Structure formats: structure tokens, C-alpha cells
Amino acid sequence: MHPYFNHIMLAYIGFIPFLLCVALTLMVGSSTAIIDAFSYYSLGVLAFLAGSLWRPGEQSQQRAVVAILVIVPFPLLAVASQVVMLSYLSVAYWLVLIFERSAPAWQETHQDYQKMRFTLTSVVFVSHLFMVAQAIELAG
């Protein structure tokens, strides 16, 4: 069995709640509750991803601080509109991936993991765009 198999499977399993929220919206229509559930799950996943990049001791202190700057706006997002929050989240997933790819350790990670991270980031981005459209529909 491939050493990254468990990490890859967990990452894809972690995407299921995103898909469920999108599917629910397609089945029952735009809903503030579904958009909120999607947004807060997304905040949790993004905080985990950004936090896993922190790794003090393995990188310079400056780089460790930059790794967590992506999650600093989270408390402010709690009072933002759904459209603003979802738009920020869609971009933040790319920022975390770009930061991860710029780390020296990225070159040592398996290509399957690298492909999985790009694929999931792309699909999560598209699902956020879909939910932004749903939030705009509700607001309008």
C-alpha cells in the first residue's frame, strides 16, 4: 500500500461535507442554514490546513508567522456577509496551497499527494463559487 494512501483517503473523505452542502442546495434550494454549515466547515478545514503549515522549529520564525496569517481574519469573517466570507475562503485555500508549495518540504512530498492537493483545492474552490452564487441569490 502506498505510504500516502491514508492521507489521500482522509483528504477525500474530508471533502464529503462540502459535496453534501452543495447537493443539499441543489435539492432544496438556497438556504442560509446550508450556506452557514458550509462556511463554518470550510473555516475549520482551512484553519487546520493553515495550522499544519506552521511547523515552528522546521522553518524560520518569519515563515511560521506568515503561515498563520491566512487564518487571522477568521474572527472578522464571523460578522461578514456570507458572500464576503465565502469569497475570502475560496481565495484562502489557494493561498495555503501556494504557501505549502513554496516550502522546501514540498519537493520531498510524493507526486500523488501534490496532485491530490491541487485537485482538492480546485474542487473546493469551485464549490465555494457555487455557494457564493447561492448566497448572492439569497441576498438578492
Side-chain angles (χ1 to χ4, degrees), residues 52-103:
S52 70
L53 296 178
W54 187 38
R55 297 186 183 122
E58 292 182 28
Q59 58 192 347
S60 71
Q61 183 177 1
Q62 181 183 16
R63 186 166 171 83
V65 169
V66 170
I68 60 169
L69 285 179
V70 172
I71 63 170
V72 170
F74 286 179
L76 300 174
L77 289 175
V79 296
S81 74
Q82 289 177 326
V83 173
V84 170
M85 184 187 313
L86 289 165
S87 298
Y88 170 80
L89 289 169
S90 67
V91 171
Y93 277 92
W94 284 113
L95 292 174
V96 168
L97 179 60
I98 289 167
F99 186 83
E100 185 177 2
R101 289 179 60 144
S102 71

Side-chain angles (χ1 to χ4, degrees), residues 15 22 38 90 93-94 119-133:
F15 181 68
V22 169
F38 180 94
S90 67
Y93 277 92
W94 284 113
T119 300
L120 280 179
T121 299
S122 300
V123 176
V124 165
F125 177 74
V126 171
S127 66
H128 278 76
L129 293 181
F130 176 81
M131 295 306 271
V132 165

Side-chain angles (χ1 to χ4, degrees), residues 25-40:
T25 301
L26 290 171
M27 289 187 290
V28 300
S30 298
S31 161
T32 301
I34 295 171
I35 294 171
D36 283 345
F38 180 94
S39 299
Y40 291 116

